[in-house]
Amino acid sequence: MDSVQVKNHANHPKGCARMSDLLERLRARGWRMTSQRRVVAEVLAGEHVHLTADEVHARAVARLPEIARATVYNTLGELVALGEVVELSTDGRAKRYDPNARVPHQHLVCSGCGIIRDVHPAGDPLAVLPSAERFGFTVSKADVTYRGICPACACA
Amino acid sequence: MDSVQVKNHANHPKGCARMSDLLERLRARGWRMTSQRRVVAEVLAGEHVHLTADEVHARAVARLPEIARATVYNTLGELVALGEVVELSTDGRAKRYDPNARVPHQHLVCSGCGIIRDVHPAGDPLAVLPSAERFGFTVSKADVTYRGICPACACA
DNA sequence: ATCCTACGATGGACTCAGTCCAAGTCAAGA
DNA sequence: TCTTGACTTGGACTGAGTCCATCGTAGGAT
């Protein structure tokens, strides 16, 4: 049923539909639906960019002025635990939150400006790790960060 | 009081040789050789584990009690800039420093205890990113973090 | 519709990792 | 040996995130 997709750069006319899907899933999992949680979820689902917790807080404050920073952190943590959002730390600074958790993908980061793009490598990155290189670990996933220079930074 | 260090596992009987190679290379690049820098380089080269800056500082203090934390940070930063050491942030907490920078490799991290192993996947991880997925970036490298459970944590 | 109460929100203090800076020190070239 | 600027020091500072006592409220029970 996923007719909804996703190649979108900026605009996703189905944003609202996916949003209520998200709230739906959260409610189904026993989430108490508060205005704070709704706002955080909306902020994340509303823009397909990779925001830091403070950026999420700033956007949330614009809609719900009294929301606390701690609440944003709590809610982001819960969304990550539920698998609805992926946490990235591509630069050793603030973590970023990726709302596109349902489609497996990797990230391409510009070493100049830090912009992050979602990318889809060919094949399963796990497959190229020989079992001799697994040291008895049960390996469950591979996070890949491609690094380079984006077109805008290349000109400058 | 620190006669013997670390019994690191087997691998590098050439520890000393490689150490002086390192100091050699650094001197050749115009490094002023201070006792602090020597100690930091020795700490890193002495154990093939992935230490945090504070762990490096603790080990450095054991040999040179008055060394400052800022000096350790400065020196680690310079070693990274010179390409002698690789900086990792696998967990969004403290960065770790990998002295094994001359051999390209990736990392396997235990989600239980956080232990990190160097691993060598087959092939070049860059090769699997189609140019259609590069968005005009000049992509220069791929950092892969494999995640799983180590044998010790699997038992527990 | 109202009550209850456990779950969630608040905000301020706190921790942890890392950076900055003015002043002092010292490696190494002349 | 002298000089000098690169390096070190320690303490203050910042940024990101966590903790916690207290207050508020969503949503089931009545």
Side-chain angles (χ1 to χ4, degrees), chain B residues 6-135:
Chain B
V6 187
K7 48 182 81 171
N8 45 34
H9 25 267
N11 284 347
H12 26 76
K14 294 305 199 101
C16 288
R18 301 192 58 200
M19 181 71 243
S20 50
D21 286 356
L22 171 58
L23 295 180
E24 204 60 32
R25 287 198 302 281
L26 295 174
R27 205 185 309 268
R29 302 212 215 180
W31 245 37
R32 181 177 289 188
M33 188 50 57
T34 67
S35 54
Q36 292 85 348
R37 287 175 164 183
R38 193 187 332 270
V39 164
V40 169
E42 283 170 7
V43 165
L44 279 175
E47 297 180 74
H48 282 192
V49 291
H50 303 83
L51 300 173
T52 64
D54 274 339
E55 289 165 350
V56 172
H57 181 236
R59 285 164 172 71
V61 161
R63 306 185 188 196
L64 189 65
E66 67 280 17
I67 190 172
R69 232 164 50 92
T71 302
V72 172
Y73 276 102
N74 288 341
T75 307
L76 289 171
E78 289 153 7
L79 287 168
V80 170
L82 291 172
E84 296 289 346
V85 163
V86 171
E87 199 174 67
L88 310 175
S89 39
T90 51
D91 62 351
R93 302 192 61 77
K95 288 175 186 162
R96 297 184 168 271
Y97 293 88
D98 183 344
N100 184 21
R102 291 195 295 165
V103 182
H105 62 276
Q106 304 297 343
H107 296 97
L108 170 55
V109 180
C110 175
S111 313
C113 62
I115 194 180
I116 303 174
R117 304 273 334 211
D118 290 1
V119 295
H120 304 83
D124 179 359
L126 273 187
V128 298
L129 189 65
S131 55
E133 286 285 318
R134 298 189 182 200
F135 303 101

Side-chain angles (χ1 to χ4, degrees), chain A residues 114-132:
Chain A
I115 194 180
I116 303 174
R117 304 276 330 214
D118 290 1
V119 296
H120 304 83
D124 178 2
L126 274 187
V128 298
L129 189 65
S131 55

